[in-house]
Short mmCIF file of all heavy atoms in Angstrom, two decimals:
data_model
loop_
_atom_site.label_atom_id
_atom_site.label_comp_id
_atom_site.label_asym_id
_atom_site.label_seq_id
_atom_site.Cartn_x
_atom_site.Cartn_y
_atom_site.Cartn_z
N GLU A 1 113.61 84.46 97.05
CA GLU A 1 113.79 84.26 95.72
C GLU A 1 113.89 85.58 94.81
O GLU A 1 114.06 85.53 93.65
CB GLU A 1 112.72 83.34 95.11
CG GLU A 1 112.59 81.97 95.71
CD GLU A 1 113.85 81.20 95.67
OE1 GLU A 1 114.70 81.44 94.81
OE2 GLU A 1 114.12 80.30 96.53
N GLY A 2 113.69 86.69 95.54
CA GLY A 2 113.82 88.05 94.83
C GLY A 2 112.58 88.35 94.10
O GLY A 2 112.70 89.30 93.21
N LEU A 3 111.42 87.77 94.39
CA LEU A 3 110.20 88.18 93.78
C LEU A 3 109.46 89.14 94.67
O LEU A 3 108.53 88.88 95.39
CB LEU A 3 109.32 86.87 93.62
CG LEU A 3 109.93 85.77 92.87
CD1 LEU A 3 108.93 84.49 92.79
CD2 LEU A 3 110.36 86.20 91.44
N PHE A 4 110.00 90.47 94.57
CA PHE A 4 109.68 91.45 95.54
C PHE A 4 108.18 91.98 95.32
O PHE A 4 107.49 92.34 96.32
CB PHE A 4 110.62 92.60 95.51
CG PHE A 4 112.05 92.15 95.66
CD1 PHE A 4 112.94 92.12 94.69
CD2 PHE A 4 112.38 91.73 96.99
CE1 PHE A 4 114.22 91.71 94.88
CE2 PHE A 4 113.68 91.25 97.16
CZ PHE A 4 114.64 91.26 96.09
N ARG A 5 107.70 92.11 94.05
CA ARG A 5 106.36 92.53 94.04
C ARG A 5 105.31 91.50 94.50
O ARG A 5 104.30 91.77 95.08
CB ARG A 5 106.07 92.90 92.50
CG ARG A 5 104.67 93.26 92.25
CD ARG A 5 104.38 93.97 90.84
NE ARG A 5 103.03 94.24 90.68
CZ ARG A 5 102.54 94.63 89.53
NH1 ARG A 5 103.27 94.87 88.42
NH2 ARG A 5 101.23 94.96 89.47
N LEU A 6 105.66 90.17 94.20
CA LEU A 6 104.79 89.15 94.72
C LEU A 6 104.82 89.09 96.19
O LEU A 6 103.88 88.81 96.89
CB LEU A 6 105.26 87.81 94.16
CG LEU A 6 104.40 86.59 94.44
CD1 LEU A 6 103.04 86.78 93.85
CD2 LEU A 6 104.85 85.28 93.76
N GLU A 7 105.96 89.31 96.91
CA GLU A 7 106.09 89.38 98.27
C GLU A 7 105.15 90.38 98.86
O GLU A 7 104.48 90.15 99.84
CB GLU A 7 107.59 89.65 98.69
CG GLU A 7 107.74 89.89 100.16
CD GLU A 7 109.06 90.65 100.43
OE1 GLU A 7 109.98 90.75 99.58
OE2 GLU A 7 109.24 91.14 101.60
N ALA A 8 105.20 91.68 98.26
CA ALA A 8 104.40 92.68 98.71
C ALA A 8 102.94 92.35 98.59
O ALA A 8 102.08 92.77 99.39
CB ALA A 8 104.74 94.02 97.97
N ALA A 9 102.55 91.77 97.49
CA ALA A 9 101.18 91.38 97.23
C ALA A 9 100.64 90.40 98.32
O ALA A 9 99.64 90.47 98.83
CB ALA A 9 100.97 90.78 95.89
N ALA A 10 101.50 89.38 98.62
CA ALA A 10 101.15 88.30 99.58
C ALA A 10 100.99 88.95 100.99
O ALA A 10 100.08 88.63 101.71
CB ALA A 10 102.06 87.25 99.53
N LEU A 11 101.91 89.85 101.28
CA LEU A 11 101.91 90.54 102.59
C LEU A 11 100.68 91.41 102.70
O LEU A 11 100.00 91.41 103.77
CB LEU A 11 103.17 91.35 102.70
CG LEU A 11 103.30 92.19 104.03
CD1 LEU A 11 103.27 91.32 105.18
CD2 LEU A 11 104.50 93.07 104.00
N ALA A 12 100.24 92.02 101.66
CA ALA A 12 99.13 92.90 101.77
C ALA A 12 97.87 92.01 102.02
O ALA A 12 96.90 92.43 102.63
CB ALA A 12 98.95 93.67 100.42
N VAL A 13 97.68 90.82 101.31
CA VAL A 13 96.53 89.96 101.53
C VAL A 13 96.59 89.48 102.99
O VAL A 13 95.57 89.44 103.67
CB VAL A 13 96.59 88.80 100.55
CG1 VAL A 13 95.51 87.82 100.88
CG2 VAL A 13 96.43 89.30 99.13
N PHE A 14 97.76 89.11 103.47
CA PHE A 14 97.85 88.63 104.87
C PHE A 14 97.29 89.78 105.84
O PHE A 14 96.59 89.53 106.77
CB PHE A 14 99.30 88.39 105.21
CG PHE A 14 99.52 88.05 106.74
CD1 PHE A 14 99.38 86.68 107.18
CD2 PHE A 14 99.88 89.04 107.53
CE1 PHE A 14 99.58 86.44 108.47
CE2 PHE A 14 100.07 88.79 108.87
CZ PHE A 14 99.94 87.44 109.43
N GLU A 15 97.69 90.96 105.54
CA GLU A 15 97.22 92.15 106.47
C GLU A 15 95.79 92.33 106.20
O GLU A 15 95.10 92.62 107.38
CB GLU A 15 98.02 93.41 106.14
CG GLU A 15 99.53 93.33 106.51
CD GLU A 15 100.31 94.52 106.02
OE1 GLU A 15 99.82 95.24 105.09
OE2 GLU A 15 101.42 94.80 106.48
N ALA A 16 95.19 92.24 105.12
CA ALA A 16 93.82 92.40 104.92
C ALA A 16 93.03 91.34 105.75
O ALA A 16 92.03 91.56 106.36
CB ALA A 16 93.42 92.36 103.44
N ALA A 17 93.48 90.04 105.55
CA ALA A 17 92.83 88.95 106.33
C ALA A 17 93.02 89.13 107.74
O ALA A 17 91.93 88.78 108.55
CB ALA A 17 93.47 87.56 105.80
N ARG A 18 94.07 89.57 108.24
CA ARG A 18 94.24 89.78 109.63
C ARG A 18 93.32 90.86 110.16
O ARG A 18 92.78 90.83 111.21
CB ARG A 18 95.69 90.11 109.96
CG ARG A 18 96.08 90.36 111.41
CD ARG A 18 97.43 90.87 111.60
NE ARG A 18 97.62 92.14 110.83
CZ ARG A 18 98.81 92.69 110.64
NH1 ARG A 18 99.93 92.01 110.94
NH2 ARG A 18 98.89 93.82 110.06
N ASP A 19 93.19 92.05 109.47
CA ASP A 19 92.41 93.16 109.79
C ASP A 19 90.85 92.69 109.90
O ASP A 19 90.19 93.13 110.77
CB ASP A 19 92.56 94.28 108.86
CG ASP A 19 93.81 94.99 108.95
OD1 ASP A 19 94.57 94.77 110.02
OD2 ASP A 19 94.21 95.82 108.01
N LEU A 20 90.52 91.82 108.90
CA LEU A 20 89.20 91.43 108.94
C LEU A 20 88.93 90.51 110.12
O LEU A 20 87.85 90.57 110.81
CB LEU A 20 88.86 90.53 107.69
CG LEU A 20 87.43 89.95 107.55
CD1 LEU A 20 86.31 91.07 107.64
CD2 LEU A 20 87.33 89.25 106.20
N ARG A 21 89.87 89.53 110.46
CA ARG A 21 89.73 88.69 111.58
C ARG A 21 89.68 89.52 112.88
O ARG A 21 88.89 89.08 113.79
CB ARG A 21 90.89 87.68 111.56
CG ARG A 21 90.89 86.88 112.82
CD ARG A 21 92.03 85.82 112.82
NE ARG A 21 91.95 84.82 111.96
CZ ARG A 21 92.79 83.77 111.91
NH1 ARG A 21 93.81 83.69 112.75
NH2 ARG A 21 92.53 82.80 111.02
N GLU A 22 90.46 90.48 113.00
CA GLU A 22 90.50 91.33 114.18
C GLU A 22 89.47 92.42 114.29
O GLU A 22 89.37 93.22 115.21
CB GLU A 22 91.78 91.93 114.33
CG GLU A 22 92.98 90.93 114.49
CD GLU A 22 94.33 91.48 114.54
OE1 GLU A 22 94.47 92.78 114.40
OE2 GLU A 22 95.31 90.82 114.77
N LYS A 23 88.57 92.40 113.19
CA LYS A 23 87.46 93.55 113.13
C LYS A 23 88.08 94.86 113.16
O LYS A 23 87.59 95.70 113.86
CB LYS A 23 86.49 93.29 114.18
CG LYS A 23 85.70 91.90 114.09
CD LYS A 23 84.70 91.71 115.07
CE LYS A 23 83.97 90.35 114.89
NZ LYS A 23 82.97 90.16 115.94
N SER A 24 89.24 95.09 112.53
CA SER A 24 89.84 96.38 112.60
C SER A 24 89.11 97.42 111.76
O SER A 24 88.64 97.11 110.72
CB SER A 24 91.24 96.22 112.04
OG SER A 24 91.94 97.52 111.83
N PRO A 25 89.01 98.66 112.20
CA PRO A 25 88.36 99.76 111.44
C PRO A 25 89.12 100.00 110.16
O PRO A 25 88.64 100.71 109.31
CB PRO A 25 88.34 100.88 112.42
CG PRO A 25 89.42 100.63 113.42
CD PRO A 25 89.51 99.13 113.60
N ASP A 26 90.42 99.62 110.08
CA ASP A 26 91.21 99.71 108.83
C ASP A 26 90.80 99.01 107.71
O ASP A 26 91.27 99.20 106.56
CB ASP A 26 92.71 99.55 109.12
CG ASP A 26 93.25 100.63 110.12
OD1 ASP A 26 92.69 101.74 110.15
OD2 ASP A 26 94.17 100.34 110.84
N PHE A 27 90.02 97.94 107.98
CA PHE A 27 89.64 96.96 106.85
C PHE A 27 88.64 97.65 105.98
O PHE A 27 87.59 98.26 106.32
CB PHE A 27 88.91 95.70 107.48
CG PHE A 27 88.52 94.78 106.44
CD1 PHE A 27 89.47 93.87 105.69
CD2 PHE A 27 87.23 94.63 106.03
CE1 PHE A 27 89.09 93.10 104.80
CE2 PHE A 27 86.84 93.79 105.08
CZ PHE A 27 87.70 92.93 104.46
N ARG A 28 88.97 97.57 104.70
CA ARG A 28 88.05 98.05 103.57
C ARG A 28 87.86 96.91 102.50
O ARG A 28 88.86 96.43 101.98
CB ARG A 28 88.63 99.26 102.85
CG ARG A 28 88.84 100.45 103.81
CD ARG A 28 87.45 101.10 104.24
NE ARG A 28 87.86 102.34 104.96
CZ ARG A 28 87.95 102.35 106.27
NH1 ARG A 28 87.97 101.25 106.98
NH2 ARG A 28 88.20 103.56 106.87
N LEU A 29 86.74 96.42 102.35
CA LEU A 29 86.43 95.30 101.54
C LEU A 29 86.97 95.52 100.03
O LEU A 29 87.58 94.74 99.46
CB LEU A 29 85.02 94.92 101.46
CG LEU A 29 84.64 93.68 100.62
CD1 LEU A 29 85.43 92.49 101.02
CD2 LEU A 29 83.15 93.33 100.74
N ALA A 30 86.73 96.70 99.46
CA ALA A 30 87.13 97.05 98.14
C ALA A 30 88.67 96.98 98.04
O ALA A 30 89.19 96.45 97.05
CB ALA A 30 86.57 98.34 97.72
N GLU A 31 89.33 97.56 99.06
CA GLU A 31 90.71 97.54 99.05
C GLU A 31 91.28 96.12 99.16
O GLU A 31 92.25 95.71 98.57
CB GLU A 31 91.32 98.37 100.25
CG GLU A 31 92.79 98.42 100.38
CD GLU A 31 93.24 99.21 101.56
OE1 GLU A 31 92.46 99.94 102.15
OE2 GLU A 31 94.41 99.11 101.86
N ALA A 32 90.66 95.25 99.98
CA ALA A 32 91.06 93.90 100.20
C ALA A 32 90.94 93.09 98.94
O ALA A 32 91.73 92.25 98.55
CB ALA A 32 90.20 93.25 101.33
N ALA A 33 89.79 93.41 98.18
CA ALA A 33 89.63 92.70 96.85
C ALA A 33 90.77 93.09 95.89
O ALA A 33 91.23 92.20 95.20
CB ALA A 33 88.26 93.09 96.30
N THR A 34 91.05 94.44 95.90
CA THR A 34 92.20 94.82 95.04
C THR A 34 93.50 94.16 95.40
O THR A 34 94.26 93.76 94.49
CB THR A 34 92.31 96.33 95.12
OG1 THR A 34 91.12 96.97 94.72
CG2 THR A 34 93.44 96.83 94.25
N ARG A 35 93.73 93.93 96.62
CA ARG A 35 94.99 93.25 97.08
C ARG A 35 94.92 91.68 96.61
O ARG A 35 95.97 91.23 96.18
CB ARG A 35 95.08 93.29 98.68
CG ARG A 35 95.42 94.70 99.20
CD ARG A 35 95.39 94.77 100.64
NE ARG A 35 95.86 95.99 101.20
CZ ARG A 35 96.25 96.22 102.41
NH1 ARG A 35 96.09 95.26 103.30
NH2 ARG A 35 96.52 97.43 102.85
N LEU A 36 93.80 91.17 96.70
CA LEU A 36 93.69 89.81 96.24
C LEU A 36 93.93 89.68 94.70
O LEU A 36 94.62 88.85 94.24
CB LEU A 36 92.30 89.20 96.62
CG LEU A 36 92.03 88.60 97.98
CD1 LEU A 36 90.59 88.37 98.28
CD2 LEU A 36 92.90 87.32 98.12
N ALA A 37 93.40 90.64 94.01
CA ALA A 37 93.51 90.73 92.61
C ALA A 37 95.00 90.87 92.28
O ALA A 37 95.56 90.24 91.33
CB ALA A 37 92.77 91.90 91.93
N GLU A 38 95.77 91.69 93.03
CA GLU A 38 97.25 91.88 92.74
C GLU A 38 97.95 90.62 92.89
O GLU A 38 98.89 90.25 92.15
CB GLU A 38 97.69 93.05 93.70
CG GLU A 38 99.21 93.19 93.74
CD GLU A 38 99.81 93.92 92.52
OE1 GLU A 38 99.06 94.13 91.59
OE2 GLU A 38 101.02 94.08 92.56
N LEU A 39 97.65 89.92 93.99
CA LEU A 39 98.31 88.64 94.27
C LEU A 39 98.05 87.64 93.22
O LEU A 39 99.01 86.96 92.70
CB LEU A 39 97.79 88.05 95.54
CG LEU A 39 98.38 86.66 96.01
CD1 LEU A 39 99.84 86.65 96.01
CD2 LEU A 39 97.78 86.24 97.37
N VAL A 40 96.86 87.41 92.77
CA VAL A 40 96.51 86.50 91.67
C VAL A 40 97.14 86.95 90.31
O VAL A 40 97.73 86.13 89.58
CB VAL A 40 95.02 86.33 91.53
CG1 VAL A 40 94.68 85.46 90.36
CG2 VAL A 40 94.39 85.77 92.85
N LEU A 41 97.15 88.23 90.10
CA LEU A 41 97.69 88.76 88.80
C LEU A 41 99.16 88.57 88.71
O LEU A 41 99.68 88.02 87.71
CB LEU A 41 97.33 90.26 88.67
CG LEU A 41 97.98 91.04 87.53
CD1 LEU A 41 97.50 90.45 86.20
CD2 LEU A 41 97.82 92.51 87.59
N VAL A 42 99.96 89.02 89.73
CA VAL A 42 101.37 88.92 89.66
C VAL A 42 101.86 87.39 89.71
O VAL A 42 102.75 87.03 88.93
CB VAL A 42 101.96 89.73 90.85
CG1 VAL A 42 103.50 89.56 90.86
CG2 VAL A 42 101.62 91.17 90.81
N ALA A 43 101.24 86.66 90.57
CA ALA A 43 101.62 85.19 90.62
C ALA A 43 101.32 84.53 89.24
O ALA A 43 102.12 83.67 88.74
CB ALA A 43 100.78 84.49 91.73
N GLY A 44 100.19 84.85 88.63
CA GLY A 44 99.82 84.30 87.33
C GLY A 44 100.73 84.62 86.30
O GLY A 44 101.24 83.86 85.47
N LYS A 45 101.12 85.99 86.28
CA LYS A 45 102.09 86.45 85.23
C LYS A 45 103.45 85.65 85.43
O LYS A 45 104.06 85.37 84.45
CB LYS A 45 102.35 87.96 85.37
CG LYS A 45 101.18 88.74 84.96
CD LYS A 45 100.98 88.67 83.40
CE LYS A 45 99.87 89.68 83.06
NZ LYS A 45 99.73 89.67 81.55
N LEU A 46 103.94 85.52 86.62
CA LEU A 46 105.18 84.90 86.82
C LEU A 46 105.08 83.28 86.47
O LEU A 46 106.14 82.72 85.91
CB LEU A 46 105.64 85.05 88.34
CG LEU A 46 106.02 86.47 88.71
CD1 LEU A 46 106.28 86.53 90.19
CD2 LEU A 46 107.20 86.99 87.97
N VAL A 47 104.03 82.75 86.79
CA VAL A 47 103.75 81.40 86.46
C VAL A 47 103.82 81.18 85.00
O VAL A 47 104.34 80.22 84.43
CB VAL A 47 102.53 80.81 87.06
CG1 VAL A 47 102.14 79.43 86.45
CG2 VAL A 47 102.63 80.71 88.53
N ASP A 48 103.24 82.19 84.24
CA ASP A 48 103.22 82.15 82.78
C ASP A 48 104.65 82.51 82.15
O ASP A 48 104.70 82.45 80.90
CB ASP A 48 102.16 83.13 82.19
CG ASP A 48 100.76 82.61 82.63
OD1 ASP A 48 100.58 81.46 82.87
OD2 ASP A 48 99.84 83.52 82.54
#
């Protein structure tokens, strides 16, 4: 649908959840929280 920022935000959350599930050393909780915030923010703006 051409919602490229929302695509990137959803992909980032997927990667964070995957890293946590796999106990990857790349996982950072603060960074994951920021990714979740980006997804909710962008999706909310578009819904509005």
Side-chain angles (χ1 to χ4, degrees):
E1 302 301 336
L3 305 177
F4 302 111
R5 182 173 174 181
L6 187 57
E7 173 200 344
L11 176 59
V13 171
F14 174 87
E15 292 174 343
R18 182 188 60 193
D19 288 346
L20 178 59
R21 172 181 288 192
E22 297 175 354
K23 299 180 180 180
S24 169
D26 293 332
F27 178 78
R28 300 289 186 274
L29 181 54
E31 179 183 345
T34 300
R35 291 179 175 187
L36 277 168
E38 171 76 357
L39 175 57
V40 175
L41 172 65
V42 177
K45 289 290 186 181
L46 294 175
V47 168
D48 292 342

